[in-house]
Amino acid sequence: MSATLSSTRTRAALRASARISAELLLLLVGLAVALWLLGQMWSIVWPLVVGLFITTLTWPPTRFLRRHGWPPALAAAFVTVLFLLAVAGIVALIAVPVASQSGELTDGVVEGLQRVREWAAGPPLNIGDDEITKALDSAVARAQDGLGSMVTTVVSGVSTVVNGLVTAILALFLMFFFLKDGPRFLPWLARQLPGRFAADVPTVAGRSWDTLGAFVRSQALVGLLDAVLIGIGLWILDVPLVLPLAVLTFVSAFVPIIGALFAGLVAVLIALVSNGLTDALIVLAIIVAVQQLEGNVFQPMIQSRGLGLHAAVILLAVTLGGSLAGIVGSLLAVPVAAVLAVIWNYVREQLSDPREESGADGGVVVAP
C-alpha cells in the first residue's frame, strides 16, 4: 500500500522553501548593492588594496625597528624610503643591462627580420621585394586611415598610465600611514563599535590581515620559484640578460596572466634575436612548462597551506575572478576568497554549540 502525502507537511515544506528563497533573494540584492557601491568607490578602493598589499611586505622590518625603540613615524619613513630604493634597484637591474646590450639586440632584430624576408622570398612562398613593398605601402595606408582611432588609443593609454601613477602615489602614502598608525587601528575601531561588534569586527580584521600577509608571502615564493627555474633554463641555453629576465619574471608574478605572458614574451624574443629559432622554441617550452607547474602545482599547494584553502578552491577562485573582473579579478580572487573563509570560520565558531569532551576522571568537560 503506497503512502499518501501529508498536506500539513507539504505546506510546511513549501513555506520553509519560500522563506529560504526570499532570504536568499534579499542577500543577493544586498550583495549586488554592495558591489555597485564598491564599483562607484573604486578610485579609492584600488589604491587602498594596493597599499595594503605592499604594507604586508614592508611591515616585518617596520615591526623590527619599532621593537628596537624606533619612533613609529621614523620607522615608517625609513622603511618607505628603503622600499622606494628597492623598487628603483629592481628597475635598474632590469634597465641597465638591457640598455648596455641594446645595440646587440637591435642588430639581432634586424638580422632576424632579414632572415624572415629571405625565407619569404624563397620557395614555397616566393614573395618578391615588390610584393613586400606593396604590402608595406598598404599597411602604411591603413595606418593613416585609422589615424583617428590610433590617437584615441594613445590618449586612452596615456590616461591609463596617469591613473596608474596616481594609484601608485596614493598607495605609497597609504602604506606610510599604515606602517605608522596600523597597530592603533584595531583598538580605535573597537572603541567606535557597539556591543559585540567591538570584539567581533577587530578579531575578524586581525585574522584577515594575517591571511593577506600569508597571500603576499606565498605569491612572492611562487614568483621566486618561477624566476629560479626559468633563469636556470636561460642560463643553460646561454641566452643574454639572464638576471634581468629572472628579476622581471619574479616581479611579473604579482600580476596574474598578463605578467607571465609579458615576461615570457620578452624572454622568447631575446632568445630569438640572439640565439636563433631553435633556442627560442626551447625557451618557449621551458616557460610554458614552468607556468603550468606554477598554475597547477606550486601556487595551489603553497597558497593552500598559507591561506587554509584547498587547492581546488584557489583554482576556482582565480577562474571566477578572471571571468568577472579580468586581471584585477584574478589578482584579488585568492585574497578575497581567503578573507571570506576567515569570516565564515569566525561566524561558524560563534554559532557552534560548546563541545563536550570526556575528562580524565570520566566526567564531562565543556570546551570553550
Side-chain angles (χ1 to χ4, degrees), residues 328-352:
V328 175
S330 299
L331 177 63
L332 300 180
V334 176
V336 167
V339 170
L340 291 177
V342 167
I343 297 173
W344 167 250
N345 288 332
Y346 183 79
V347 171
R348 188 177 61 181
E349 290 175 5
Q350 301 305 310
L351 298 179
S352 298

Side-chain angles (χ1 to χ4, degrees), residues 123-140:
L125 298 180
N126 296 320
I127 300 177
D129 290 341
D130 294 339
E131 295 178 354
I132 294 177
T133 303
K134 291 180 181 179
L136 291 176
D137 293 339
S138 176
V140 171

Side-chain angles (χ1 to χ4, degrees), residues 81-263:
V81 172
L82 199 64
F83 175 77
L84 289 174
L85 292 176
V87 172
I90 291 174
V91 173
L93 195 61
I94 296 175
V96 172
V98 171
S100 64
Q101 300 187 30
S102 58
E104 179 184 348
L105 292 176
T106 302
D107 294 340
V109 171
V110 173
E111 183 181 354
L113 292 176
Q114 183 62 31
R115 290 180 181 178
V116 171
R117 187 170 185 172
E118 293 175 356
W119 172 76
L125 298 180
N126 296 320
I127 300 177
D129 290 341
D130 294 339
E131 295 178 354
I132 294 177
T133 303
K134 291 180 181 179
L136 291 176
D137 293 339
S138 176
V140 171
R142 292 182 180 180
Q144 292 174 347
D145 293 338
L147 183 60
S149 61
M150 291 172 61
V151 171
T152 303
T153 303
V154 170
V155 172
S156 176
V158 171
S159 176
T160 302
V161 172
V162 171
N163 290 334
L165 290 176
V166 172
T167 298
I169 293 173
L170 284 176
L172 190 64
F173 278 102
L174 288 173
M175 182 193 76
F176 170 77
F177 289 117
F178 290 156
L179 293 176
K180 184 175 77 73
D181 301 323
R184 297 189 297 179
F185 174 72
L186 291 183
W188 173 85
L189 183 62
R191 292 193 300 269
Q192 309 306 312
L193 297 173
R196 285 196 56 182
F197 287 107
D200 294 339
V201 174
T203 301
V204 173
R207 295 184 183 182
S208 300
W209 169 256
D210 295 337
T211 300
L212 183 62
F215 164 74
V216 175
R217 289 190 295 270
S218 62
Q219 196 72 18
L221 181 57
V222 170
L224 181 62
L225 289 174
D226 285 354
V228 170
L229 293 177
I230 293 177
I232 291 175
L234 297 175
W235 176 71
I236 292 175
L237 293 174
D238 197 22
V239 176
L241 304 174
V242 173
L243 183 57
L245 290 175
V247 174
L248 180 63
T249 301
F250 171 76
V251 174
S252 63
F254 290 91
V255 183
I257 303 175
I258 296 299
L261 290 176
F262 173 74

